[in-house]
Amino acid sequence: MSKIVKSSWFSKKCLSLTSINPNEISRVLLLFSIFFLGAFIFHMVRDLKDTLIITAENSGAEVIPFLKFWLILPTCIFITFLCNKLFNIFSYMTLGTILILGFILFLLFFVFFLYPRREDLYLNKLASYLEVFLPKGCNGIILIIRYWLFSLFYVVCELWGVMVLSLFLWRYVNDITSMSDAKRFYPIILLSENLSGIASGPTSYYISNRINHLFIGNNLWEQSLIFLILIIVICAGILILLFHRLYSISSSPTHNKIQEPKEKMSLKKNFKSILNSKILFSITIMVLCYQIAGNLLEVIWKSQVRILYPSPGSYNAYMSQVTMWVGIISVILSISMSGIFRRIERGLVAMITPNVILVTSLFFLPLLILHNSFNLFMAIPLSLIVFIGSMQNVLIKASKFSIFDATKEMSFVSLNTEDRRNGKSAIDGIGSRLGKSGGAVLYQGFLITFGSISASMPYIGMILLFVIIPSFLKATRKLSDEISSSKTLESL
């Protein structure tokens, strides 16, 4: 350990709280800032993409399963394939610049060209024609086509989390970080991501709900959308500059230089690594189960929020408050992460997220099923049902962002370089979207069969409680056993 500067109060605090050496502070601050901005953008665009498509005229949360299966899944498969090719051609710095600049240009094109002309660009005639032939349960497909520009916005915003956060930033950090450093650095990175939720929530809420004077745009919501996207664009520009600085520091003689991929990557190698590694296979099952469960529960909840808050401004403002509370709870858990990993067996820590899903589902789902199917709770206001669903969403996401992600990323670091890169590309690029698409397929089947989300809730509840959550728990135990029994890994 390097000699510590005793006179520096900040250095002493960093060392005592996080075991960060003074000569590592600049690198840690860069990582903190980069992931804060990346997650801040993620939270902002996540709320925006839902708001635009869900609150469109005659639309609703039932469009989300169709979007995730018919658009998100094939796009993510193609993007993962493309990223593998790009990683074989470009350096991390060049590729990061290309990805983020492309995202910035699309947002500007959307908000200043597509959105103001949206009424002329809607495919109303084609959608009306399809309504004659398709069953009621396929309304999600019709909405995707009618509001194609919102569908495009949804897909591109979804790719920020896949391409920039998972396939680019986290892969880069995993490649330049040792297992011992990961235990010290990753809780700080996760803390920065969770703090971003606290910042993005009030920012989006204030712009969506508190600005009452028209400065730009044709109405207050369009003005809010412009302001929000300009904030995202500025943050993305700063992110590029900070990453360039981190890249130069990580490539300097005083640091271990990043090992750029020597072997070309491909989808075949990605999935082969998963099949050949019990650790990667267990992570894959965990990710699939989490995404399926999260997708099933989230669509139900958002359908209720859409009823309570039908306008884009009010819907986005409410979702922003939920995002803020996700950040607050996540920060509390993140601050406790170092102590949690030291005092509690890693396998027990990993079990927290599936158990949170199980316990909260036992409260939320019965209330909704009884309310919608048997009319026994009509005296309970919709606002209370939305509140209970919001608390479930907050707890599930907070445990995911602070605990589930930490254990997953540490499991990646414990692998060799080739398995780590190939496995992360397949799991974060395709596996997580397969999980969401699995939930989307179930929803589509239920919607086509029963015609509505409310009529499908009892069956959704049974699948969650008797199939998805037990599989999640089993895969989590398996991962813990595999890492514990591996002779080449350090104890986590």
Side-chain angles (χ1 to χ4, degrees):
M1 181 179 293
S2 302
K3 184 178 179 180
I4 303 172
V5 181
K6 299 294 184 180
S7 60
S8 173
W9 179 88
F10 182 70
S11 297
K12 290 179 181 179
K13 288 297 180 182
C14 288
L15 182 63
S16 62
L17 294 177
T18 63
S19 300
I20 303 299
N21 297 327
N23 63 338
E24 296 174 323
I25 291 177
S26 60
R27 181 183 177 192
V28 171
L29 288 176
L30 278 172
L31 287 171
F32 184 95
S33 302
I34 287 170
F35 278 90
F36 177 89
L37 290 173
F40 180 88
I41 294 171
F42 170 79
H43 291 304
M44 297 279 280
V45 298
R46 183 186 62 189
D47 292 340
L48 279 179
K49 67 182 175 63
D50 284 342
T51 298
L52 288 174
I53 192 68
I54 290 176
T55 62
E57 186 178 359
N58 297 321
S59 184
E62 69 271 12
V63 71
I64 295 178
F66 293 89
L67 274 168
K68 290 183 176 178
F69 180 76
W70 296 104
L71 293 183
I72 298 298
L73 178 59
T75 301
C76 286
I77 293 175
F78 171 74
I79 288 299
T80 303
F81 171 80
L82 179 62
C83 279
N84 284 335
K85 297 296 183 183
L86 293 176
F87 272 113
N88 295 331
I89 299 172
F90 299 108
S91 67
Y92 272 109
M93 186 171 67
T94 302
L95 180 57
T97 304
I98 292 172
L99 293 176
I100 299 173
L101 279 179
F103 182 75
I104 289 173
L105 292 175
F106 171 80
L107 290 184
L108 294 175
F109 178 73
F110 176 85
V111 77
F112 290 115
F113 181 79
L114 292 179
Y115 191 80
R117 297 167 176 81
R118 60 191 180 278
E119 297 292 341
D120 298 328
L121 295 174
Y122 292 156
L123 298 177
N124 291 319
K125 291 184 178 179
L126 177 58
S128 299
Y129 176 79
L130 292 174
E131 283 180 337
V132 178
F133 299 98
L134 294 177
K136 181 182 178 182
C138 292
N139 187 49
I141 295 177
I142 297 171
L143 292 171
I144 289 174
I145 295 171
R146 185 187 301 276
Y147 302 117
W148 67 270
L149 64 162
F150 296 160
S151 301
L152 177 63
F153 184 84
Y154 192 101
V155 171
V156 173
C157 290
E158 184 80 11
L159 293 179
W160 176 266
V162 179
M163 294 182 63
V164 178
L165 281 182
S166 295
L167 294 184
F168 176 65
L169 289 179
W170 268 113
R171 185 198 298 215
Y172 179 78
V173 172
N174 284 342
D175 280 349
I176 65 173
T177 308
S178 66
M179 173 59 73
S180 59
D181 287 342
K183 295 178 182 179
R184 298 182 298 126
F185 293 170
Y186 283 17
I188 298 175
I189 293 175
L190 292 170
L191 175 63
S192 72
E193 290 188 327
N194 296 326
L195 284 171
S196 69
I198 300 178
S200 65
T203 300
S204 184
Y205 175 80
Y206 178 82
I207 293 174
S208 301
N209 204 45
R210 295 300 181 185
I211 298 179
N212 299 318
H213 301 287
L214 191 64
F215 302 104
I216 191 174
N218 298 319
N219 52 59
L220 290 175
W221 167 243
E222 185 172 333
Q223 173 180 269
S224 298
L225 182 64
I226 293 172
F227 284 163
L228 290 170
I229 287 183
L230 287 178
I231 290 173
I232 293 169
V233 166
I234 293 171
C235 290
I238 297 173
L239 178 57
I240 293 176
L241 298 177
L242 292 177
F243 180 77
H244 280 218
R245 177 59 179 165
L246 176 65
Y247 188 88
S248 63
I249 289 178
S250 300
S251 301
S252 67
T254 58
H255 290 85
N256 293 328
K257 292 188 177 182
I258 181 173
Q259 299 178 1
E260 301 284 356
K262 295 181 180 180
E263 296 186 7
K264 291 188 176 181
M265 300 175 64
S266 65
L267 286 178
K268 182 179 180 180
K269 288 184 178 180
N270 292 165
F271 287 106
K272 185 177 180 181
S273 293
I274 291 177
L275 294 176
N276 291 337
S277 170
K278 293 182 179 180
I279 291 177
L280 285 176
F281 186 78
S282 295
I283 296 175
T284 302
I285 300 300
M286 290 168 59
V287 170
L288 287 173
C289 291
Y290 173 82
Q291 295 295 352
I292 292 174
N295 183 61
L296 291 174
L297 292 167
E298 194 171 52
V299 171
I300 295 175
W301 168 63
K302 287 179 179 177
S303 69
Q304 306 303 305
V305 177
R306 170 69 169 85
I307 298 172
L308 188 62
Y309 300 102
S311 69
S314 61
Y315 182 93
N316 192 68
Y318 182 81
M319 297 302 290
S320 300
Q321 294 180 76
V322 173
T323 298
M324 179 188 69
W325 280 106
V326 170
I328 291 173
I329 303 300
S330 298
V331 165
I332 294 173
L333 291 175
S334 295
I335 292 173
S336 307
M337 283 304 297
S338 297
I340 289 174
F341 278 113
R342 284 196 300 266
R343 294 178 177 85
I344 303 177
E345 183 185 348
R346 183 183 179 280
L348 295 177
V349 175
M351 297 289 284
I352 292 176
T353 301
N355 277 295
V356 167
I357 296 175
L358 174 61
V359 173
T360 56
S361 295
L362 291 175
F363 282 93
F364 180 59
L365 289 175
L367 177 63
L368 266 179
I369 292 170
L370 293 173
H371 177 81
N372 290 310
S373 300
F374 301 102
N375 298 317
L376 295 180
F377 289 87
M378 292 304 293
I380 296 180
L382 178 62
S383 58
L384 180 59
I385 295 176
V386 169
F387 173 77
I388 294 173
S390 300
M391 293 307 300
Q392 179 189 48
N393 186 269
V394 167
L395 292 174
I396 291 175
K397 279 190 167 62
S399 66
K400 190 265 185 185
F401 292 153
S402 57
I403 297 174
F404 181 81
D405 285 349
T407 54
K408 177 169 71 76
E409 295 300 332
M410 286 185 180
S411 299
F412 278 128
V413 174
S414 66
L415 299 167
N416 62 60
T417 301
E418 183 179 358
D419 283 345
R420 180 172 66 244
R421 287 171 172 164
N422 285 317
K424 188 163 183 62
S425 291
I427 293 171
D428 287 350
I430 298 176
S432 62
R433 269 60 207 173
L434 278 174
K436 291 184 177 182
S437 298
V441 169
L442 291 173
Y443 260 118
Q444 291 177 56
F446 290 140
L447 288 171
I448 292 172
T449 304
F450 302 105
S452 68
I453 292 177
S454 59
S456 306
M457 288 180 188
Y459 307 97
I460 294 171
M462 287 189 291
I463 290 175
L464 274 171
L465 297 176
F466 296 107
V467 179
I468 304 302
I469 297 176
S471 299
F472 195 171
L473 291 167
K474 182 178 180 180
T476 305
R477 287 192 293 267
K478 185 69 174 176
L479 175 66
S480 178
D481 293 341
E482 290 297 334
I483 292 180
S484 299
S485 62
S486 176
K487 296 180 181 180
T488 60
L489 302 179
E490 299 180 26
S491 174
L492 295 179

